[in-house]
Amino acid sequence: MSDEKRSSFTGKLGFVLAAAGSAVGLGNIWRFPYLAAKYGGGIFLLTYLVLAVTFGFALMTAEIAIGRKTGLSAIGAFKKLNKKFTFVGWLAAIVPMIILPYYSVIGGWVLKYLYAFASGSAVAAAQDSYFGGFISQTGEPIFWFVLFILITAIVVIGGVEKGIEKVSKVMMPVLAVLAVIIAIYSVCLPGAMEGVKYYFIPNFSAFSVTTVLAAMGQLFYSMSLAMGIMITYGSYMKKDVSLESSVSQIEIFDTGIAFVAGLMIIPAVFAFTGAAPEKAGPSLMFVTLPKVFESMPGGTIIGILFFLLVLFAALTSSISLMETVVSIVCDKFKVKRIPACLIVFFGSVAIGLLSTLGYGPWAGVTVLGMQFLDFFDFISNSVLMPIVALLTCIFVGYFIKPQAIIDEVELAGKFKKKALFVGVIKYFAPICIVLILVSSVLSAFGLFTM
Ligand code: PHE
């Protein structure tokens, strides 16, 4: 990155909020609820929580410490610590390149819904066929997708990070409060109690390898792990800020919002359909929430506010994704910031088109039985990120050794969960990831059913 970028966050609050701004996004509000609905509700929630306090904690600590120790972003950081591991930095760097295009497609859907609510089409948006009708078109979803990524690019070109940080400090808490209000309303809908039970009471018979795989992929995605982002953020962190408590706060914030988002959507699905959302997929938020808003007094206003805040959460995340990709392009191809932004913009539009068209006119084209968007999601979350996470664990556990991370953490106080950290990084995480990766790849090729 250019020199002016290698600034540092002013203090702990600045760091925590910036990291949380990247972490809290569509992953929490759109992705978490549909995965929870799909993978058995309570059992998914439990699996996710267990992974968050073990895996999530250890990996995030390791990544931030690697960044702070080296003062570099992913590629440079791995290279500096051990030349042979430079490729891990590269692998991590590919992940945001894959995520950014399809993330922007969904960001476009959010824009469309914001527009629908603001232009008085709230009732139409609550119809079952509205979402399907929208994404199966050709031009409209492309329009909203390009608009979303254009906004992202303009912000990244302008580099108005300060502005974004300031706005985040206001918008993020507002989003949290609004989500809690909508969740309370959802839970009180007639028939919603079944959904609350489904969400809270784990049904152990629904547990399988897929549950763990899905929860783990979601964890990486939601916490912006295994893609070099936390390494970069760590490189901006001051040495006297407590790393351990920062990690806990980011996790609580990120998991808290995801948890409330589930509570906002899942009970409502039961209230409106009377059953578990069997075929829950990427459309869940867009189909269920408009119905909640429609039945709510003042629903149109709440709907506008809600989609505005989701849009904002999505933008802060897509900006951090694009920023990462742009900085790699700048470094690698020795181009300036603006040409790099243009390359990334056009490249992402081209790749993102596959995802939009894949839900529309190209619905018949599938990769490994998945639509393009789901395929990109699968490749990044279920294949690349676990590989990067595994290599990071091996790197820390057996090459630079956990002590290197512990020393970095202890620059600001005692590392309380030291034993947990070492156990997870050296044994628990690598073994789990290998098992899960093998089964996920086999199942994608139809060689193994989970
Ligand atoms: N963590 C973000 C979310 O939950 C997505 C994201 C991933 C953002 C990677 C930045 C980098 O939506």
Side-chain angles (χ1 to χ4, degrees):
M1 274 310 314
S2 54
D3 288 343
E4 91 242 35
K5 280 265 129 35
R6 187 67 52 200
S7 50
S8 61
F9 293 109
T10 36
K12 185 170 168 209
L13 187 70
F15 174 76
V16 169
L17 281 175
S22 164
V24 175
L26 291 170
N28 307 61
I29 304 162
W30 157 79
R31 202 170 184 276
F32 183 86
Y34 89 70
L35 288 178
K38 188 167 166 182
Y39 293 105
I43 190 68
F44 181 85
L45 189 64
L46 183 68
T47 311
Y48 185 86
L49 289 177
V50 170
L51 290 180
V53 295
T54 52
F55 257 68
F57 153 76
L59 234 101
M60 189 178 273
T61 305
E63 289 197 12
I64 296 177
I66 288 176
R68 190 168 78 174
K69 195 178 179 65
T70 56
L72 296 168
S73 47
I75 300 172
F78 277 103
K79 192 172 178 185
K80 183 165 173 182
L81 293 172
N82 186 331
K83 266 216 156 64
K84 283 199 206 106
F85 276 78
T86 316
F87 78 99
V88 183
W90 274 107
L91 270 184
I94 295 173
V95 178
M97 297 182 192
I98 298 177
I99 295 182
L100 177 64
Y102 85 80
Y103 199 83
S104 303
V105 169
I106 298 154
W109 299 350
V110 174
L111 267 177
K112 157 78 182 176
Y113 271 72
L114 174 61
Y115 175 76
F117 272 81
S119 62
S121 309
V123 177
Q127 303 305 312
D128 275 332
S129 56
Y130 188 82
F131 181 73
F134 163 59
I135 57 166
S136 59
Q137 291 168 21
T138 308
E140 248 215 283
I142 294 183
F143 170 80
W144 294 108
F145 151 60
V146 175
L147 184 62
F148 181 89
I149 198 161
L150 190 67
I151 300 174
T152 307
I154 290 172
V155 177
V156 173
I157 289 179
V160 288
E161 278 161 40
K162 287 225 174 74
I164 290 190
E165 258 189 56
K166 272 191 198 139
V167 189
S168 298
K169 282 186 189 163
V170 182
M171 298 273 262
M172 284 299 164
V174 178
L175 176 68
V177 171
L178 195 70
V180 170
I181 295 173
I182 300 171
I184 294 174
Y185 183 82
S186 232
V187 169
C188 296
L189 285 167
M193 255 317 133
E194 280 308 306
V196 176
K197 283 191 202 144
Y198 178 77
Y199 191 44
F200 279 115
I201 305 174
N203 167 9
F204 288 94
S205 66
F207 183 81
S208 72
V209 181
T210 335
T211 320
V212 186
L213 179 68
M216 201 165 72
Q218 172 62 16
L219 182 76
F220 296 149
Y221 187 84
S222 187
M223 293 191 180
S224 309
L225 293 173
M227 57 182 100
I229 300 221
M230 288 299 155
I231 298 185
T232 310
Y233 276 39
S235 74
Y236 302 141
M237 189 187 200
K238 287 200 172 143
K239 295 274 184 194
D240 58 354
V241 171
S242 162
L243 215 151
E244 190 175 13
S245 73
S246 301
V247 169
S248 304
Q249 287 171 8
I250 300 166
E251 281 200 305
I252 291 171
F253 203 86
D254 189 65
T255 310
I257 299 246
F259 172 74
V260 175
L263 208 50
M264 197 165 70
I265 293 175
I266 294 175
V269 175
F270 277 75
F272 291 115
T273 65
E278 278 164 11
K279 282 184 66 191
S283 64
L284 192 63
M285 176 176 105
F286 297 96
V287 175
T288 309
L289 280 182
K291 291 187 202 297
V292 177
F293 298 143
E294 209 216 331
S295 73
M296 244 174 149
T300 304
I301 304 285
I302 304 272
I304 295 175
L305 257 180
F306 176 80
F307 282 110
L308 188 68
L309 294 167
V310 173
L311 175 67
F312 189 78
L315 276 172
T316 53
S317 297
S318 66
I319 289 162
S320 78
L321 284 167
M322 190 182 267
E323 176 69 41
T324 312
V325 182
V326 165
S327 74
I328 296 165
V329 173
C330 283
D331 290 352
K332 190 66 202 162
F333 300 104
K334 306 268 174 285
V335 283
K336 291 233 163 61
R337 202 175 162 77
I338 293 182
C341 283
L342 292 177
I343 295 172
V344 174
F345 171 77
F346 286 110
S348 303
V349 167
I351 300 172
L353 278 179
L354 291 175
S355 294
T356 37
L357 293 172
Y359 272 124
W362 293 359
V365 189
T366 54
V367 191
L368 297 179
M370 288 175 254
Q371 313 247 263
F372 283 114
L373 192 150
D374 304 68
F375 174 72
F376 287 132
D377 192 72
F378 172 79
I379 280 292
S380 49
N381 289 274
S382 302
V383 181
L384 279 174
M385 284 151 90
I387 292 177
V388 173
L390 174 65
L391 291 169
T392 309
C393 291
I394 294 174
F395 179 64
V396 171
Y398 301 94
F399 286 81
I400 62 168
K401 301 276 155 57
Q403 193 59 39
I405 304 291
I406 294 168
D407 291 343
E408 185 64 35
V409 174
E410 293 198 328
L411 288 178
K414 205 169 148 38
F415 191 176
K416 294 195 210 87
K417 287 181 270 179
K418 186 159 50 178
L420 175 71
F421 172 77
V422 177
V424 171
I425 283 283
K426 284 187 84 161
Y427 310 108
F428 179 62
I431 293 172
C432 281
I433 300 174
V434 168
L435 290 179
I436 280 164
L437 256 176
V438 170
S439 56
S440 93
V441 171
L442 289 183
S443 82
F445 288 99
L447 298 172
F448 174 71
T449 39
M450 293 194 277

